[in-house]
Amino acid sequence: MKEIKIGKQIWMAENLNVDKFRNGEKIPHAKTVEDWEKAGENKQPAWCYYNNDPKNGKKYGKLYNWYAVSDPRGLAPAGWHIPSNKEWTVLTDYLRGEDVAGTKMKSTYDWSSNGNGTNESGFNALPGGFLDYDGTLNSIGNKGGWWSSSESHSDAAWGRNLGHYSSAVFGGFYDKEGGFSVRCLRD
């Protein structure tokens, strides 16, 4: 597993791509839109590949719903954890603020419309897209989204996203039934 030190934090330098919880139990694979919707409606963990294509998983990692992120069996490997909203803010503050951190976090390739970054931080963020709560795929090549471990309210959790059109990192809360990438932080 590749890792990078950014300030005082040690981050994974690639998106999470596991299909088992830390305790060894399988995370359900949502192979269809119906599988994804059912998992969300039942508040159950799920993962998928963008467009159900394992090649996308190899490149971008898996997309997880927030129920997988928050599951007590542990999504992050031993010695790692899913960063809180506050820990994401520590990262963007170290990179001189949300308005400019995106360029420093984005990879130097794969972002559409000349939206590549400098990857000055080593974070190597790729535009792996995301999944809406209803299973609709969005924005591969244009955007990347990552969960935090912080709940916003009963139906939403905090996350971060980057777009090809901006140098900023956008923080907000997103529907727990949606699918985002995951980056882990060293304990």
Side-chain angles (χ1 to χ4, degrees):
M1 190 172 321
K2 297 176 187 174
E3 57 185 57
I4 183 73
K5 185 174 183 185
I6 306 173
K8 294 181 180 179
Q9 297 174 316
I10 298 176
W11 289 83
M12 285 184 176
E14 57 194 10
N15 293 341
L16 196 62
N17 194 19
V18 298
D19 62 0
K20 292 179 183 164
F21 290 110
R22 187 181 309 146
N23 73 355
E25 291 181 43
K26 285 193 169 250
I27 305 164
H29 178 187
K31 296 178 182 176
T32 66
V33 170
E34 292 79 18
D35 290 345
W36 189 265
E37 284 182 310
K38 185 177 179 184
E41 288 168 5
N42 293 325
K43 301 183 184 323
Q44 296 174 328
W47 68 268
C48 71
Y49 297 119
Y50 193 97
N51 212 23
N52 205 27
D53 186 345
K55 289 180 187 173
N56 286 328
K58 186 172 182 165
K59 184 174 188 175
Y60 301 112
K62 292 178 174 61
L63 298 174
Y64 300 92
N65 66 17
W66 197 77
Y67 302 111
V69 169
S70 65
D71 194 284
R73 292 172 283 186
L75 181 61
W80 296 88
H81 65 276
I82 311 300
S84 68
N85 192 46
K86 184 177 180 180
E87 289 171 318
W88 276 104
T89 300
V90 169
L91 172 65
T92 56
D93 285 353
Y94 179 80
L95 297 174
R96 304 291 183 245
E98 289 184 344
D99 289 344
V100 297
T103 297
K104 297 174 183 181
M105 292 169 64
K106 288 192 289 186
S107 65
T108 58
Y109 56 92
D110 267 356
W111 291 84
S112 67
S113 304
N114 297 316
N116 293 332
T118 64
N119 196 29
E120 176 183 326
S121 67
F123 191 86
N124 200 38
L126 292 170
F130 60 92
L131 201 65
D132 284 336
Y133 69 93
D134 64 358
T136 303
L137 294 164
N138 282 296
S139 301
I140 198 166
N142 295 320
K143 291 183 179 179
W146 294 267
W147 285 118
S148 86
S149 61
S150 302
E151 187 175 38
S152 170
H153 56 276
S154 63
D155 295 330
W158 291 96
R160 296 293 188 279
N161 73 71
L162 301 170
H164 69 90
Y165 51 82
S166 177
S167 61
V169 176
F170 300 97
F173 54 89
Y174 303 94
D175 192 310
K176 291 177 181 178
E177 296 176 19
F180 274 10
S181 298
V182 169
R183 283 291 177 104
C184 297
L185 191 58
R186 268 267 180 232
D187 291 344

